[in-house]
């Protein structure tokens, strides 16, 4: 009996001496993934929701009325969901501008985001990664010294159908790194992602617009 008590006491001592493995203080937090299915769903946000319902569900602090330009025309009535958090922020353009209801277009801008597209594409995804997941070269236009470019076509690649209702814009590059001849290759027209200048810059997704229906002006 005494021997068993001694062994129990020794076991407890050893257990107390084993250090607890804690996460490093600077370990990055796990990234959330809020998937968007173009034309079909927007993660946890119903497509028929209204601005009033957004306020009820997420609170007035997390919903901001705004207007947004999608082209050279007039701005569209919209609401920003999570305006104070760059990782969560998304702008919702209303299908019914009077009732401010029904999501027509969702716009995500910035450097990184929890919102993601098919193919695990989100803000910050580089053109080289887009090309790899597409399985074919992309067609781009507009890359220049003072403005970003955009994806013109997926060239019948793997992402052609999944992203048919998505417009992707790319930026985040240093145009001055290119030689004069390389810059000239991007001066006008449409070019494939296999162009050496595009490969050197490897621009990243800076904005994507997902269409669910046609937006209407008030």
């Amino acid at each position: 009996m005494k021997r068993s008590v001694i062994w129990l006491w020794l076991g407890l001592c050893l257990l107390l001496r084993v250090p607890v493995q804690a996460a490093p203080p600077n370990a990055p937090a796990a990234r959330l993934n809020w998937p968007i299915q173009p034309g079909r769903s927007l993660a946890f946000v119903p497509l028929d929701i209204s601005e009033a319902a957004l306020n009820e569900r997420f609170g007035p602090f997390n919903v901001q009325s705004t207007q947004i330009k999608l082209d050279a025309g007039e701005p569209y009535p919209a609401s920003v969901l999570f305006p104070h958090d760059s990782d969560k922020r998304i702008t919702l353009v209303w299908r019914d501008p009077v009732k401010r209801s029904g999501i027509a277009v969702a716009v995500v801008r910035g450097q990184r985001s929890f919102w993601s597209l098919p193919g695990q594409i989100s803000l910050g995804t580089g053109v080289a990664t887009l090309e790899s997941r597409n399985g074919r070269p992309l067609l781009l236009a507009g890359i220049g010294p003072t403005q970003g470019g955009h994806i013109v076509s997926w060239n019948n690649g793997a992402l052609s159908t999944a992203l048919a209702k998505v417009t992707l814009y790319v930026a985040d590059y240093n145009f001055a790194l290119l030689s004069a001849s390389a810059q000239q290759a991007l001066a006008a027209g449409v070019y494939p992602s296999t162009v050496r200048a595009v490969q050197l810059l490897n621009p990243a997704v800076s904005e994507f617009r997902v269409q669910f229906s046609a937006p209407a002006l008030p």
Side-chain angles (χ1 to χ4, degrees):
M1 182 67 179
K2 289 182 178 180
R3 181 175 295 179
S4 63
V5 172
I6 292 173
W7 281 111
L8 178 60
W9 180 79
L10 288 173
L12 287 172
C13 290
L14 289 173
L15 180 63
L16 292 173
R17 288 173 63 87
V18 175
V20 177
Q21 295 296 322
N26 297 322
R31 298 284 298 164
L32 297 179
N33 181 40
W34 294 346
I36 300 175
Q37 295 298 326
R40 293 163 49 196
S41 63
L42 189 64
F44 48 82
V45 182
L47 296 181
D48 60 352
I49 202 166
S50 65
E51 185 177 71
L54 284 176
N55 275 285
E56 290 179 6
R57 179 175 294 199
F58 301 104
F61 178 79
N62 290 314
V63 182
Q64 183 180 83
S65 295
T66 189
Q67 291 184 322
I68 184 173
K69 280 197 171 187
L70 298 179
D71 46 43
E74 295 295 319
Y76 291 91
S79 298
V80 183
L81 182 59
F82 306 122
H84 309 290
D85 189 326
S86 59
D87 284 344
K88 300 178 181 178
R89 186 183 303 124
I90 186 169
T91 302
L92 308 175
V93 181
W94 298 117
R95 184 174 66 247
D96 186 330
V98 177
K99 296 181 179 179
R100 301 183 74 84
S101 65
I103 298 172
V105 180
V107 182
V108 180
R109 294 171 173 166
Q111 294 184 320
R112 65 177 193 174
S113 177
F114 292 156
W115 300 96
S116 65
L117 297 167
Q120 296 181 323
I121 294 167
S122 189
L123 298 181
T125 303
V127 165
T129 300
L130 294 177
E131 183 182 283
S132 175
R133 292 175 185 169
N134 190 50
R136 298 193 67 175
L138 323 172
L139 299 180
L140 303 100
I143 296 176
T146 58
Q147 79 284 333
H150 63 280
I151 309 298
V152 175
S153 170
W154 295 100
N155 198 21
N156 293 319
L159 298 174
S160 294
T161 300
L163 300 184
K165 295 181 180 295
V166 179
T167 303
L168 271 79
Y169 295 85
V170 295
D172 191 21
Y173 53 80
N174 186 354
F175 200 74
L177 293 176
L178 299 180
S179 64
S181 59
Q183 292 180 13
Q184 187 62 33
L186 305 180
V190 176
Y191 33 84
S193 52
T194 50
V195 168
R196 182 61 176 162
V198 175
Q199 294 177 338
L200 288 171
L201 294 178
N202 191 28
V205 176
S206 59
E207 175 182 337
F208 56 84
R209 302 175 183 178
V210 185
Q211 186 164 359
F212 297 97
S213 65
L217 290 171

